[in-house]
């Protein structure tokens, strides 16, 4: 039985495509039941439509409150019988009420080795700080920004002549491997969240 996954995205959608590809190849025992965006013109949403996946878009700017926006998203997720959620460049913080609806079933990917450089422009932050190594992190989501128990990390070097763009590209290559791999492990292995990390049996 394949697990029903929702993708939440706000932009380009390359991590969504990496997850979708891994599912299509049978590498991850899951299917994308719904793609949700808070940005109507997100390129990722158009890509989902062209793959004939179910999509919904709820522009958050049209809503009166965070909870009103999340109520719409939650309703769509329930209707699609979603079991897991993968945030893939979803640039909205989820409330604790939302997270509680899917306990330990929401994943995020972030382009740094957390807890370094949470938030926006993590790759530019890494260049700015002069770190020699950065990477990406897949983690379970809680109600704090880029914060829950860590599932997997991949490191990449930072070169002297890197800028945010060149570094982002190097990290993205690793993101596209790390995200499907982490989801596969969570769906197929025994694990538990223990403090700040996910421990596999
Ligand atoms: C990715 O680099 C992802 O790690 C980052 O947004 C980008 C989305 O790209 N997410 C965050 O910064 C979350 N705090 P994509 O739309 O091509 O997957």
């Amino acid at each position: 039985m394949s697990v029903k996954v929702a993708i939440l995205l706000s932009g380009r959608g390359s991590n969504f495509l990496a997850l979708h590809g891994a599912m299509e190849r049978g590498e991850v025992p899951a299917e994308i039941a719904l793609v949700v965006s808070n940005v109507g013109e997100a390129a990722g949403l158009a890509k989902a439509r062209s793959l004939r996946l179910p999509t919904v878009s709820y522009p958050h700017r049209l809503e009166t409150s965070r909870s009103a926006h999340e109520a719409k998203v939650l309703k769509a997720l329930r209707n699609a019988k979603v079991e897991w959620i993968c945030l893939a460049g979803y640039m909205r913080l989820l409330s604790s009420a939302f997270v509680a609806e899917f306990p330990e079933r929401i994943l995020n990917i972030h382009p740094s080795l957390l807890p370094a450089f949470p938030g926006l422009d993590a790759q530019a932050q890494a260049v700015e700080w002069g770190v020699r190594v950065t990477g990406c992190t897949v983690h379970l989501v809680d109600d704090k920004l880029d914060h829950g128990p860590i599932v997997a990390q991949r490191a990449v070097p930072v070169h002297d002549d890197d800028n945010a763009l060149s570094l982002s590209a190097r990290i993205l290559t690793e993101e596209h491997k790390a995200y499907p791999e982490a989801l596969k492990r969570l769906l197929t292995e025994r694990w538990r969240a223990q403090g700040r990390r996910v421990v596999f049996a």
Side-chain angles (χ1 to χ4, degrees), residues 17 36 43 90 112 173 197:
L17 289 181
V36 182
Y90 188 64
S112 75
T173 305
R197 62 172 66 86

Side-chain angles (χ1 to χ4, degrees), residues 133-175:
V133 177
T134 183
C136 62
T137 303
V138 181
H139 65 93
L140 293 175
V141 169
D142 61 18
D143 59 350
K144 297 186 196 73
L145 182 67
D146 300 323
H147 186 265
I150 290 175
V151 183
Q153 293 187 306
R154 278 176 170 250
V156 306
V158 183
H159 302 318
D160 287 341
D161 59 354
D162 265 330
N163 54 36
L165 211 63
S166 60
L167 184 57
S168 297
R170 192 173 310 118
I171 296 172
L172 198 63
T173 305
E174 299 306 311
E175 292 187 44

